[in-house]
Amino acid sequence: PFSDVVRFTSCRGCVVSLSTDSPDAIRAHFPEWRKELENPSHYKKLYNFSFGFSREKGHKNLPTEVAIALWHLFLDGKSPHLDEWCKFLQEKETKTITKDTWSLFYDFSMQIDKDMSNYDMDGAWPVLIDEFVEARKGGTAE
Amino acid sequence: MSGRRTSGIGARKLVIKPLKTKPKVHANLEEETWQKVARAMRATFAEESVSFSREELYGAVQDICIQNRAASLYARIRDECAAEVCRKVGSLKSASSSGAGFLQQVETLWSQHTRQMASIRNVVLYLDQTYARTTQGVLPLWDLALAQFRAEWLAASDLPVRLVDGMLNVIQRERDGEAVERGLLYSLSRMMSALRLYHEQFEPRLLEATEEYYHRESERYLQQTEVHDYLAHCEDRLKAEADRCGAYLDSSTQRVLLEKVENQLLKYHCDSILTKGFDPLAEASRLSDLHRTYRLLKRVDCLNQLMASFNAYIRRVGSALVNDVEKDATMVEELLALKDKADTILNEAFEKDETFSKTIREAFETFINSRQNKPAELIAKFVDARLRAGNKAQSEDELEAVLDKIMVLFRFINGKDVFEAFYKKDLAKRLLLSKSASFDAEKSMMSKLKTECGAAFTTKLEGMFKDIELSKEIGAAFRDWIPEEQQRGASLLSVNVLTMSFWPPYQPTEIKLPKQIVDAQDAFKDFYLKRYSGRRLLWINTLGHCVLRGRFEKGDKEFSVSVFQAVVLLQFNNADKLTYREIAERTGIEEQELKRTLLSLSVAKIRVLRKHPHSREVGVEDEFSFNNSFTNRLYRIKINNIQLKESKEEKNSTHQRVQQDRQVQIDAAVVRIMKTRRTLQHNQLVAELYKQLKFPMTPQDIKKRIESLIERDYLERAEDSPGTYNYLA
């Protein structure tokens, strides 16, 4: 629906007065927008925005299944941890994901190596990610 | 000598004229004198008597010196001595080489020679003093004797070695337990000193032999003996060696020698001594052995190792004590005993050494906190038991002493808030059920807590006491206020009004009280709110208790019961038999509580009710009947011990409360800190929290609270740096 697309645009700070309502006109902007997405800080902004966007009205957090779907959308191929993370969440039967966890998972994906050797357990990472790392580290040690 | 003299008037002048001719020096005087001296010397050396008188000899020598012929006389004396020394030493070379005999021979020779030389010196004393002592490059006779002997001795192939060998051999035999000729060794030792051979030839080999000897001994002994015996043996050995040094060795040897012995016996084996022997000694509190250990290890500068063993022992025993869940009931007594034991050892075996005292504290602090929460809870319970009435254990002084010791333990605990929660709860019970043994004891304990926990905690406790006091006054005023007709109702009720913030949290519970009680409660409420406006009163019936009179076949009895028990019992005024469901409905009491109450009245010691079936559990189909044939040797009977006993749920809920309270404190602290600092990195925030909060926290605990605060929009992460937090106003 158009209303969604308009909101989408305004989040990127792109002042596009979309007075037109023709799908073709909007589609014409696509190449330009695709290029914007290659900018990592814009990508991150989009990623963070999508959390609030996807929430149910009146709810603070995002149901885990929705979060997983979104994660695949955004981070497939970009995060070395994605599959294990989703598996971990399902095993743990986590019901919802907080905004903080959502946001930090992006940083986690970008900064932390696949073998998690540069992860600081006493750092500022959310507890859920700590638990993930601990579970995975325990697994690889076996 | 000639000289002129003048004297006074009338004195005759006395003139002395010089000799016209010089007296002829006896041409052979020198030769004659020498012959005399030589004969005297030889006789002395031969231990024969001398034919001339001493004075004659002395005078003759003197004459020679006066004639300035001292030098040649000296030379001849010197040569004569040299020959004698050569002869003497030579005789030794061919002497028997066996130990004691040889030593004796040397000693005899030496003492002879010294005696003889002294004698000769006395004869030619004038020469010695006027010539020998004053002329450069000429040795006084005594020194000459020594030098000659020394030179001859050193040149005498293996004699020096044999002498030292012999002496060392004797020393070893003495060390092995034989009685030896100490006098002989003493003389030889002095001889070597005189000849400047003691430090050069004897002492080094003595030290080496000593090292070797004790090295072997220590290896052997350590394996074969118990540590405490070994240490006693070491002490004996050290004493013996010191004695030996005093008896026949040079005083300069003592320090070095003892050091070698100490090293071999103690220092190099310090670790195995302590590993093998410390724990059993500590376990059995063998104070004199421990003291010996301290003294001996102090000599070899190994006190740090001893301290480490002490520390490890305390930690091991203490940790086992604290972490053994089966032994919770006796944990506190055993901790007190352990502390007493450690202190006794400190005072009586370790000479009140300050570093050891510190190590005790450090060990206690480590192991007591190896188990969270439980020690604090048990200590609170211990204190409660001591402060309760009916505690027959002790006098006032004893109680005071025990409480002081408890505070020492308490000081080591990190999570003091757990203790505070339990202490407060127990104090509340004591106050509300009038169970305090002694007001003075309570006050004394409070002042101790004030010192440890700060005034914030004890202010609340003091508030609790005040509430009780005040309630008494209010109760009296209430009774005065009630009009005559209603007096009986009012006298039913005795109310404690508790200021909520001082006391542990209590929840009101469901219960259908009899009309009398409700009326009395309402009357009180009216009275109170008239007196103190703007307040709210909540009845906490779980804390109440009452006295019921029961009429039985065999006589009346009075029962001291809880409100719940009373309400249940009162139902049987209207029926002899009731089902569980009926009771539940009529009393409105919640299931678990009701079951517990019914059990206490029908299945425990005092069975005022009969339970059908008579099982240990209350089922919803059970029936209860009034036990008309109830008897008891007492008239007034207590059944309200339910309130005094703490259930497991109660304990858990107290622990939970403490944990929740800690979370709240962390939240508050984070907000406080962030409000001031506005922006902080994660580690800085954590560091600040550890500084401000006094209970144990894990990094995870803190992180969880931070996340919670982020979710509630108190904080946010900085956009480009997620490890930094910003305060959100």
Side-chain angles (χ1 to χ4, degrees):
Chain A
F2 294 115
S3 53
D4 294 338
V5 177
V6 170
R7 262 193 287 150
F8 176 93
T9 312
S10 65
C11 101
R12 286 169 41 238
C14 178
V15 180
V16 174
S17 47
L18 237 27
S19 47
T20 162
D21 52 7
S22 113
D24 289 329
I26 294 172
R27 226 177 270 125
H29 285 277
F30 279 11
E32 179 193 330
W33 290 344
R34 238 180 242 124
K35 206 142 177 273
E36 291 274 356
L37 285 180
E38 281 164 30
N39 177 332
S41 84
H42 286 180
Y43 197 78
K44 185 173 181 185
K45 279 194 188 140
L46 183 64
Y47 168 90
N48 280 332
F49 169 78
S50 65
F51 181 86
F53 182 77
S54 316
R55 271 193 303 216
E56 293 281 326
K57 229 196 180 95
H59 286 205
K60 241 190 155 185
N61 298 332
L62 199 58
T64 310
E65 316 112 40
V66 180
I68 289 181
L70 279 177
W71 269 318
H72 278 295
L73 182 64
F74 275 101
L75 296 178
D76 236 352
K78 287 196 165 65
S79 166
H81 306 288
L82 183 59
D83 292 326
E84 304 220 313
W85 170 249
C86 296
K87 194 158 151 231
F88 166 75
L89 290 174
Q90 284 160 341
E91 279 169 12
K92 202 168 188 291
E93 295 180 15
T94 318
K95 293 277 185 315
T96 58
I97 301 292
T98 62
K99 185 163 187 206
D100 194 48
T101 307
W102 172 264
S103 171
L104 267 291
F105 185 72
Y106 186 91
D107 298 280
F108 179 78
S109 298
M110 296 304 140
Q111 288 176 24
I112 302 297
D113 300 334
K114 181 128 173 70
D115 64 357
M116 302 192 204
S117 54
N118 57 341
Y119 184 80
D120 179 10
M121 202 59 97
D122 288 334
W125 299 103
V127 174
L128 190 57
I129 297 185
D130 279 347
E131 288 171 1
F132 169 59
V133 173
E134 207 169 309
R136 282 298 156 254
K137 270 209 174 137
T140 48
E142 272 153 33
Chain B
M1 301 286 182
S2 65
R4 285 187 188 273
R5 289 182 124 206
T6 48
S7 57
I9 301 164
R12 272 200 279 162
K13 272 199 220 164
L14 190 64
V15 175
I16 298 175
K17 293 206 178 95
L19 294 171
K20 290 252 169 31
T21 48
K22 268 201 158 58
K24 211 151 128 226
V25 171
H26 208 295
N28 287 333
L29 181 62
E30 198 183 322
E31 190 57 39
E32 276 178 27
T33 310
W34 166 239
Q35 287 305 326
K36 287 186 195 161
V37 169
R39 281 222 291 286
M41 284 176 75
R42 286 169 201 150
T44 308
F45 287 143
E47 296 283 321
E48 286 161 8
S49 59
V50 179
S51 40
F52 332 103
S53 77
R54 295 192 137 225
E55 290 93 15
E56 211 188 309
L57 277 173
Y58 188 90
V61 169
Q62 188 175 28
D63 286 341
I64 296 292
C65 293
I66 292 169
Q67 305 281 349
N68 286 320
R69 308 303 297 159
S72 62
L73 178 58
Y74 179 89
R76 283 166 148 175
I77 294 174
R78 182 196 63 212
D79 292 343
E80 188 67 34
C81 289
E84 174 61 17
V85 168
C86 183
R87 192 195 62 74
K88 275 194 168 94
V89 172
S91 76
L92 280 176
K93 282 189 218 175
S94 51
S96 78
S97 60
S98 71
F102 173 70
L103 291 182
Q104 188 58 66
Q105 278 179 302
V106 173
E107 197 271 335
T108 307
L109 215 64
W110 169 258
S111 55
Q112 272 179 353
H113 191 68
T114 49
R115 195 175 11 90
Q116 290 158 0
M117 285 305 301
S119 177
I120 290 169
R121 194 232 12 230
N122 287 343
V123 166
V124 302
L125 191 62
Y126 194 88
L127 173 74
D128 199 38
Q129 288 188 329
T130 58
Y131 172 71
R133 286 188 185 276
T134 57
T135 311
Q136 280 272 25
V138 170
L139 288 175
L141 272 163
W142 181 252
D143 297 342
L144 177 71
L146 293 179
Q148 285 177 332
F149 201 99
R150 184 177 200 271
E152 199 60 44
W153 184 255
L154 285 177
S157 67
D158 67 343
L159 280 183
V161 172
R162 279 165 63 193
L163 176 60
V164 174
D165 281 348
M167 288 169 80
L168 291 179
N169 183 274
V170 174
I171 291 176
Q172 178 169 319
R173 279 191 289 121
E174 190 178 39
R175 283 174 174 160
D176 284 342
E178 267 183 57
V180 299
E181 272 281 346
R182 282 190 155 192
L184 178 58
L185 282 174
Y186 178 72
S187 301
L188 289 171
S189 175
R190 305 287 292 135
M191 167 184 148
M192 299 218 84
S193 291
L195 293 176
R196 285 182 297 114
L197 295 174
Y198 181 90
H199 290 292
E200 294 76 3
Q201 291 193 336
F202 176 63
E203 197 183 52
R205 289 192 58 201
L206 169 64
L207 293 175
E208 197 183 311
T210 305
E211 261 186 327
E212 177 61 35
Y213 185 84
Y214 284 110
H215 174 75
R216 274 182 280 119
E217 177 166 288
S218 68
E219 301 272 319
R220 207 173 56 236
Y221 259 73
L222 263 179
Q223 293 200 356
Q224 296 170 355
T225 55
E226 296 286 333
V227 168
H228 57 88
D229 285 333
Y230 179 79
L231 290 174
H233 176 78
C234 289
E235 213 170 39
D236 290 339
R237 277 306 204 188
L238 286 168
K239 241 186 246 155
E241 290 295 330
D243 181 56
R244 179 168 302 115
C245 289
Y248 54 76
L249 297 174
D250 190 271
S251 62
S252 64
T253 302
Q254 177 154 338
R255 200 176 56 79
V256 193
L257 185 107
L258 286 182
E259 193 182 317
K260 298 247 178 232
V261 179
E262 286 166 2
N263 286 351
Q264 290 302 327
L265 286 178
L266 296 167
K267 190 169 193 156
Y268 300 150
H269 297 288
C270 180
D271 286 335
S272 46
I273 289 173
L274 288 174
T275 311
K276 194 172 152 206
F278 182 81
D279 277 10
L281 292 184
E283 190 62 42
S285 283
R286 296 180 67 144
L287 295 173
S288 70
D289 287 325
L290 286 168
H291 191 198
R292 179 172 301 118
T293 314
Y294 181 83
R295 284 198 308 273
L296 290 176
L297 291 182
K298 188 171 183 180
R299 289 174 78 146
V300 291
D301 209 16
C302 286
L303 281 185
N304 281 341
Q305 285 95 314
L306 179 61
M307 196 169 75
S309 292
F310 190 38
N311 184 298
Y313 170 78
I314 296 174
R315 276 203 210 190
R316 185 176 59 78
V317 174
S319 194
L321 253 181
V322 159
N323 286 298
D324 185 353
V325 180
E326 314 259 313
K327 295 183 111 191
D328 278 356
T330 49
M331 188 201 285
V332 179
E333 276 97 345
E334 300 214 43
L335 284 177
L336 287 174
L338 180 62
K339 184 71 170 53
D340 272 343
K341 185 199 193 82
D343 285 342
T344 306
I345 294 179
L346 171 72
N347 292 332
E348 312 216 1
F350 296 157
E351 299 180 3
K352 303 196 186 161
D353 189 315
E354 183 55 46
T355 48
F356 280 70
S357 174
K358 226 164 74 195
T359 221
I360 294 178
R361 288 199 290 275
E362 196 264 340
F364 264 81
E365 192 168 334
T366 307
F367 78 70
I368 244 185
N369 290 303
S370 68
R371 184 173 173 197
Q372 292 289 328
N373 300 333
K374 207 54 166 167
E377 179 198 318
L378 292 174
I379 290 181
K381 187 163 294 153
F382 182 88
V383 176
D384 176 55
R386 290 291 175 290
L387 289 176
R388 263 201 238 152
N391 171 35
K392 304 162 192 124
Q394 71 258 305
S395 69
E396 204 176 292
D397 288 334
E398 283 170 10
L399 179 59
E400 189 67 23
V402 166
L403 290 179
D404 277 332
K405 288 189 183 174
I406 284 287
M407 291 315 288
V408 171
L409 285 183
F410 178 68
R411 212 166 284 143
F412 297 130
I413 295 187
N414 287 342
K416 291 182 166 67
D417 51 355
V418 174
F419 172 88
E420 288 168 12
F422 278 98
Y423 185 81
K424 199 155 122 170
K425 192 160 66 66
D426 292 334
L427 173 64
K429 276 199 182 145
R430 289 199 299 277
L431 289 176
L432 292 175
L433 300 175
S434 303
K435 281 279 167 201
S436 289
S438 141
F439 201 64
D440 287 338
E442 297 276 1
K443 282 287 152 111
S444 165
M445 186 62 195
M446 275 233 286
S447 74
K448 292 188 215 294
L449 286 173
K450 191 169 189 169
T451 317
E452 284 307 320
C453 307
F457 176 57
T458 47
T459 319
K460 293 212 179 101
L461 303 182
E462 283 163 14
M464 287 162 74
F465 277 93
K466 283 209 193 78
D467 277 350
I468 300 291
E469 283 302 306
L470 202 56
S471 297
K472 290 203 184 93
E473 288 173 23
I474 293 176
F478 175 56
R479 269 180 276 286
D480 290 339
W481 182 79
I482 288 286
E484 275 297 324
E485 327 85 74
Q486 292 178 22
Q487 270 295 339
R488 272 200 74 236
S491 67
L492 277 181
L493 208 60
S494 174
V495 180
N496 278 320
V497 181
L498 314 179
T499 309
M500 210 162 179
S501 58
F502 295 155
W503 295 75
Y506 299 118
Q507 300 295 336
T509 40
E510 275 298 310
I511 186 168
K512 291 185 184 152
L513 292 171
K515 183 170 188 311
Q516 291 171 297
I517 298 182
V518 174
D519 285 344
Q521 282 184 338
D522 286 343
F524 181 86
K525 203 168 179 176
D526 276 342
F527 162 77
Y528 187 87
L529 292 174
K530 280 205 176 71
R531 225 180 177 196
Y532 301 97
S533 62
R535 291 187 183 181
R536 205 161 62 90
L537 284 182
L538 270 175
W539 293 102
I540 310 289
N541 292 306
T542 36
L543 296 175
H545 53 99
C546 32
V547 175
L548 280 188
R549 194 172 310 133
R551 203 152 277 156
F552 300 92
E553 224 165 50
K554 305 221 174 111
D556 290 0
K557 297 283 181 199
E558 275 186 8
F559 297 96
S560 178
V561 288
S562 71
V563 165
F564 281 42
Q565 288 168 324
V567 168
V568 167
L569 286 175
L570 286 170
Q571 303 309 318
F572 290 87
N573 276 346
N574 304 325
D576 273 338
K577 205 177 206 184
L578 290 167
T579 65
Y580 173 87
R581 287 188 215 276
E582 284 171 324
I583 299 173
E585 205 244 319
R586 290 179 198 197
T587 60
I589 297 176
E590 171 273 327
E591 181 176 334
Q592 207 182 46
E593 195 59 52
L594 180 57
K595 284 185 176 174
R596 202 161 357 144
T597 307
L598 283 167
L599 280 177
S600 73
L601 295 170
S602 61
V603 167
K605 275 209 185 124
I606 310 292
R607 297 180 186 172
V608 188
L609 296 178
R610 285 219 195 83
K611 183 176 175 293
H612 317 280
H614 192 69
S615 55
R616 304 237 109 207
E617 302 249 325
V618 173
V620 296
E621 298 301 328
D622 290 1
E623 283 188 338
F624 294 86
S625 59
F626 178 70
N627 181 10
N628 203 3
S629 43
F630 176 81
T631 53
N632 193 291
R633 59 185 179 85
L634 297 172
Y635 174 68
R636 186 172 278 141
I637 302 160
K638 267 196 215 166
I639 326 185
N640 71 349
N641 54 1
I642 279 187
Q643 284 164 314
L644 228 32
K645 268 209 207 108
E646 206 174 25
S647 65
K648 214 168 179 187
E649 297 120 39
E650 250 190 287
K651 275 189 229 179
N652 285 342
S653 80
T654 303
H655 279 299
Q656 260 178 19
R657 249 194 304 121
V658 174
Q659 298 307 321
Q660 281 163 3
D661 196 57
R662 285 180 182 178
Q663 285 186 347
V664 168
Q665 286 191 57
I666 296 177
D667 286 357
V670 171
V671 171
R672 207 171 46 231
I673 294 168
M674 292 305 297
K675 192 168 180 183
T676 319
R677 309 282 288 270
R678 297 275 132 185
T679 298
L680 265 189
Q681 284 191 349
H682 180 82
N683 329 345
Q684 294 169 317
L685 177 57
V686 170
E688 223 11 76
L689 285 170
Y690 277 116
K691 248 200 267 174
Q692 292 195 17
L693 296 173
K694 292 303 161 199
F695 48 78
M697 296 178 284
T698 64
Q700 302 303 79
D701 291 336
I702 296 176
K703 278 216 237 186
K704 284 197 182 126
R705 299 322 305 157
I706 293 178
E707 275 184 63
S708 164
L709 289 167
I710 290 177
E711 252 200 287
R712 290 180 278 155
D713 293 322
Y714 281 91
L715 308 176
E716 63 174 8
R717 293 184 192 264
E719 180 150 338
D720 41 5
S721 160
T724 306
Y725 305 108
N726 294 332
Y727 180 68
L728 287 174

Coordinates of all heavy atoms in Angstrom, one line a residue, chain B residues 354-381:
Chain B
E354 N 50.8 -9.9 63.8 CA 49.8 -9.1 63.1 C 49.5 -9.6 61.7 O 48.3 -9.7 61.3 CB 50.2 -7.7 63.0 CG 49.3 -6.7 62.4 CD 47.9 -6.8 63.0 OE1 47.8 -6.7 64.3 OE2 46.9 -6.9 62.3
T355 N 50.5 -10.1 61.0 CA 50.2 -10.6 59.6 C 49.4 -11.9 59.6 O 48.6 -12.1 58.7 CB 51.5 -10.8 58.8 OG1 52.4 -11.6 59.6 CG2 52.2 -9.5 58.4
F356 N 49.6 -12.7 60.7 CA 48.8 -13.9 60.8 C 47.4 -13.5 61.1 O 46.5 -14.2 60.7 CB 49.4 -14.8 61.9 CG 50.6 -15.6 61.4 CD1 51.8 -15.0 61.1 CD2 50.5 -17.0 61.1 CE1 52.9 -15.7 60.6 CE2 51.6 -17.7 60.7 CZ 52.8 -17.1 60.4
S357 N 47.2 -12.5 61.9 CA 45.9 -12.1 62.3 C 45.2 -11.6 61.0 O 44.0 -12.0 60.8 CB 46.0 -10.9 63.2 OG 44.7 -10.4 63.5
K358 N 45.9 -10.9 60.2 CA 45.3 -10.5 58.9 C 44.9 -11.7 58.0 O 43.9 -11.6 57.3 CB 46.3 -9.6 58.2 CG 45.7 -8.3 57.6 CD 46.6 -7.2 57.2 CE 47.4 -7.1 56.1 NZ 48.4 -6.1 56.0
T359 N 45.7 -12.7 58.0 CA 45.5 -13.8 57.2 C 44.2 -14.6 57.6 O 43.5 -15.1 56.8 CB 46.7 -14.7 57.0 OG1 46.9 -15.1 55.7 CG2 46.6 -15.9 57.9
I360 N 44.0 -14.6 58.9 CA 42.8 -15.2 59.4 C 41.6 -14.5 58.8 O 40.6 -15.1 58.3 CB 42.7 -15.2 60.9 CG1 43.8 -16.1 61.6 CG2 41.3 -15.7 61.4 CD1 43.8 -16.0 63.1
R361 N 41.6 -13.2 58.9 CA 40.5 -12.4 58.4 C 40.3 -12.6 56.9 O 39.1 -12.8 56.5 CB 40.7 -10.9 58.6 CG 40.7 -10.5 60.1 CD 40.4 -9.0 60.2 NE 41.6 -8.2 59.8 CZ 42.6 -7.9 60.6 NH1 42.6 -8.3 61.9 NH2 43.6 -7.2 60.2
E362 N 41.4 -12.6 56.2 CA 41.2 -12.8 54.8 C 40.7 -14.2 54.4 O 39.8 -14.3 53.5 CB 42.6 -12.6 54.2 CG 42.6 -12.4 52.7 CD 42.9 -13.7 51.9 OE1 43.4 -14.6 52.5 OE2 42.5 -13.7 50.7
A363 N 41.1 -15.2 55.1 CA 40.6 -16.5 54.9 C 39.1 -16.6 55.2 O 38.4 -17.2 54.4 CB 41.4 -17.6 55.7
F364 N 38.7 -16.1 56.3 CA 37.3 -16.1 56.7 C 36.5 -15.4 55.6 O 35.4 -15.9 55.2 CB 37.1 -15.5 58.0 CG 37.1 -16.5 59.1 CD1 38.2 -17.0 59.7 CD2 35.9 -17.0 59.6 CE1 38.2 -18.0 60.7 CE2 35.8 -18.0 60.6 CZ 37.0 -18.5 61.1
E365 N 36.9 -14.2 55.2 CA 36.2 -13.5 54.3 C 36.0 -14.3 53.0 O 34.9 -14.2 52.4 CB 36.8 -12.2 54.0 CG 35.9 -11.2 53.2 CD 36.4 -9.8 53.2 OE1 37.2 -9.4 54.1 OE2 36.1 -9.1 52.3
T366 N 37.0 -14.9 52.5 CA 36.9 -15.7 51.3 C 36.0 -16.8 51.4 O 35.0 -17.0 50.6 CB 38.3 -16.3 50.9 OG1 39.3 -15.2 50.9 CG2 38.2 -16.9 49.6
F367 N 36.1 -17.7 52.4 CA 35.3 -18.9 52.4 C 33.8 -18.6 52.8 O 32.9 -19.3 52.3 CB 35.9 -20.0 53.2 CG 35.7 -20.0 54.7 CD1 34.5 -20.1 55.3 CD2 36.8 -19.7 55.5 CE1 34.3 -20.1 56.7 CE2 36.6 -19.7 56.9 CZ 35.4 -19.8 57.5
I368 N 33.6 -17.6 53.7 CA 32.3 -17.4 54.1 C 31.4 -16.9 52.9 O 30.2 -17.1 52.9 CB 32.3 -16.4 55.3 CG1 31.7 -17.0 56.5 CG2 31.4 -15.1 55.0 CD1 31.6 -16.1 57.7
N369 N 32.0 -16.2 52.0 CA 31.3 -15.7 50.9 C 31.3 -16.7 49.7 O 30.7 -16.4 48.6 CB 31.8 -14.4 50.4 CG 31.5 -13.3 51.4 OD1 30.4 -13.1 51.8 ND2 32.6 -12.7 52.0
S370 N 31.8 -17.9 49.9 CA 31.8 -18.9 48.8 C 30.4 -19.4 48.6 O 30.1 -20.1 47.7 CB 32.8 -20.0 49.1 OG 32.4 -20.8 50.2
R371 N 29.6 -19.2 49.7 CA 28.2 -19.6 49.5 C 27.4 -18.4 49.8 O 27.4 -17.8 50.8 CB 27.9 -20.7 50.5 CG 26.5 -21.2 50.3 CD 26.3 -22.4 51.2 NE 24.9 -22.9 51.3 CZ 24.4 -23.7 52.2 NH1 25.2 -24.1 53.2 NH2 23.1 -24.0 52.2
Q372 N 26.6 -18.0 48.8 CA 25.8 -16.8 48.9 C 24.6 -17.0 49.8 O 24.0 -18.0 49.9 CB 25.2 -16.4 47.5 CG 26.3 -16.0 46.5 CD 26.9 -14.6 46.9 OE1 26.2 -13.8 47.4 NE2 28.1 -14.5 46.6
N373 N 24.3 -16.0 50.5 CA 23.0 -15.9 51.3 C 22.8 -16.8 52.5 O 22.3 -16.3 53.5 CB 21.8 -16.1 50.3 CG 21.8 -15.1 49.2 OD1 22.3 -14.0 49.3 ND2 21.3 -15.5 48.1
K374 N 23.1 -18.1 52.4 CA 22.8 -18.9 53.5 C 23.5 -18.6 54.8 O 22.9 -18.6 55.9 CB 23.1 -20.4 53.1 CG 22.2 -21.4 53.9 CD 20.8 -21.1 53.7 CE 19.9 -22.3 54.2 NZ 18.6 -22.0 54.3
P375 N 24.8 -18.4 54.8 CA 25.4 -18.0 56.1 C 24.8 -16.8 56.8 O 24.6 -16.8 58.0 CB 26.9 -17.7 55.7 CG 27.1 -18.5 54.4 CD 25.8 -18.5 53.7
A376 N 24.5 -15.8 56.0 CA 23.8 -14.6 56.5 C 22.5 -15.0 57.2 O 22.2 -14.5 58.3 CB 23.6 -13.6 55.5
E377 N 21.7 -15.8 56.5 CA 20.4 -16.2 57.1 C 20.6 -17.0 58.4 O 19.9 -16.7 59.3 CB 19.7 -17.1 56.0 CG 18.4 -17.6 56.5 CD 17.9 -18.8 55.7 OE1 18.1 -18.7 54.4 OE2 17.4 -19.7 56.2
L378 N 21.6 -17.9 58.4 CA 21.8 -18.7 59.5 C 22.3 -17.9 60.7 O 22.0 -18.2 61.9 CB 22.7 -19.9 59.2 CG 22.2 -20.9 58.2 CD1 23.2 -21.9 57.9 CD2 21.0 -21.6 58.9
I379 N 23.1 -16.9 60.4 CA 23.6 -16.1 61.5 C 22.5 -15.3 62.1 O 22.3 -15.2 63.4 CB 24.7 -15.2 61.1 CG1 26.0 -16.0 60.7 CG2 25.0 -14.1 62.1 CD1 27.1 -15.1 60.3
A380 N 21.6 -14.8 61.3 CA 20.4 -14.1 61.8 C 19.6 -15.0 62.7 O 19.1 -14.6 63.8 CB 19.6 -13.6 60.7
K381 N 19.4 -16.2 62.3 CA 18.6 -17.2 63.0 C 19.3 -17.5 64.3 O 18.6 -17.7 65.4 CB 18.5 -18.5 62.2 CG 17.5 -19.4 62.8 CD 17.1 -20.4 61.8 CE 16.3 -19.7 60.8 NZ 16.2 -20.0 59.6

